[in-house]
Amino acid sequence: DAKTTQPTSMDCAEGRAANLPCNHSTISGNEYVYWYRQIHSQGPQYIIHGLKNNETNEMASLIITEDRKSSTLILPHATLRDTAVYYCIVRDHSPSSGSARQLTFGSGTQLTVLP
Amino acid sequence: DSGVTQTPKHLITATGQRVTLRCSPRSGDLSVYWYQQSLDQGLQFLIQYYNGEERAKGNILERFSAQQFPDLHSELNLSSLELGDSALYFCASSPGTGLTLLYGYTFGSGTRLTVV
């Protein structure tokens, strides 16, 4: 799976949009971009994933650049409860990737939402 | 409730002891993954089982072992425990097939192991 690079930390004012960037310049055609978050010591929580089109769900939006080398997770109206570590993960879902399908976590971005 | 159940939530034990952590996957999921998260550390993948068979190994110590039973629940066995084994242990599950793309990976709330 391709490696990802994220900023170590970011701050965001409550009620404003939080934009979390992720670089995955070596991503290949069958690799999806996943976003998870971990609120202090809780289990990681799925946010969103996508291949090449922008995606939106009730939690967030995922914007993937046309060349797929980077993406941005957008939390449209951040609240204090969105303070967490956000992980950007690239995962190969091609048949040739085999049955070993674990997610590999990096260091993530510590997002702090400020009142 | 994520649908993945981990027990116990907390465990305190002495060095040299052996413990068993249990995970029940989300209904319908065939794959189970174990992760370790030490204090202020990232999530380290330990091992994956799919429908009862080991499918992938990560940074799992020889003192640790796991298995997945016919009812698909999984147990992680940690033996000869050391202070450095104190960590959060998370279990995740997924369909383990092409449906993983659709239904994703679901994590449990973890077991906090403290070795004293």
Side-chain angles (χ1 to χ4, degrees):
Chain A
D1 296 330
K3 184 176 171 62
T4 63
T5 305
Q6 300 177 251
T8 302
S9 63
M10 294 181 63
D11 292 341
C12 176
E14 189 177 18
R16 304 298 294 269
N19 297 283
L20 293 93
C22 179
N23 284 322
H24 30 78
S25 59
T26 61
I27 194 169
S28 65
N30 291 307
E31 289 182 314
Y32 284 70
V33 179
Y34 283 82
W35 284 85
Y36 278 75
R37 73 180 182 184
Q38 187 177 24
I39 297 169
H40 182 61
S41 295
Q42 297 181 21
Q45 177 189 23
Y46 167 80
I47 301 173
I48 199 166
H49 74 284
L51 182 62
K52 52 185 175 182
N53 297 320
N54 298 337
E55 302 286 346
T56 296
N57 62 22
E58 64 278 3
M59 287 184 68
S61 293
L62 173 60
I63 309 297
I64 302 175
T65 58
E66 192 168 344
D67 64 7
R68 303 212 316 125
K69 293 184 177 183
S70 66
S71 60
T72 301
L73 178 74
I74 301 172
L75 307 179
H77 306 287
T79 71
L80 298 179
R81 282 180 285 188
D82 292 322
T83 292
V85 178
Y86 287 77
Y87 297 98
C88 170
I89 301 165
V90 170
R91 181 65 184 93
D92 187 353
H93 278 285
S94 63
S96 61
S97 70
S99 57
R101 297 178 183 270
Q102 75 273 15
L103 293 174
T104 301
F105 289 81
S107 303
T109 296
Q110 171 66 58
L111 175 69
T112 302
V113 180
L114 304 170
Chain B
D1 180 12
S2 68
V4 176
T5 303
Q6 289 190 250
T7 56
K9 291 194 185 305
H10 302 276
L11 197 51
I12 301 175
T13 190
T15 55
Q17 294 298 305
R18 181 178 190 273
V19 297
T20 298
L21 312 184
R22 182 187 169 104
C23 170
S24 294
R26 185 179 53 178
S27 178
D29 284 355
L30 300 179
S31 264
V32 169
Y33 313 80
W34 287 97
Y35 289 81
Q36 178 193 54
Q37 187 172 37
S38 302
L39 187 63
D40 295 330
Q41 297 295 312
L43 286 146
Q44 298 293 318
F45 168 69
L46 296 178
I47 198 165
Q48 176 205 357
Y49 277 81
Y50 172 77
N51 204 20
E53 293 186 4
E54 180 186 305
R55 284 300 169 90
K57 259 187 176 179
N59 300 319
I60 188 166
L61 299 171
E62 285 192 12
R63 299 183 285 109
F64 296 0
S65 65
Q67 54 184 331
Q68 187 179 27
F69 294 88
D71 67 352
L72 301 176
H73 89 271
S74 178
E75 293 181 355
L76 180 67
N77 301 298
L78 316 175
S79 62
S80 303
L81 284 166
E82 302 173 359
L83 296 178
D85 298 326
S86 296
L88 278 164
Y89 291 84
F90 290 103
C91 168
S93 74
S94 77
T97 64
L99 291 175
T100 298
L101 256 180
L102 186 62
Y103 295 107
Y105 303 79
T106 305
F107 284 78
S109 57
T111 292
R112 181 178 293 277
L113 174 67
T114 302
V115 182
V116 298

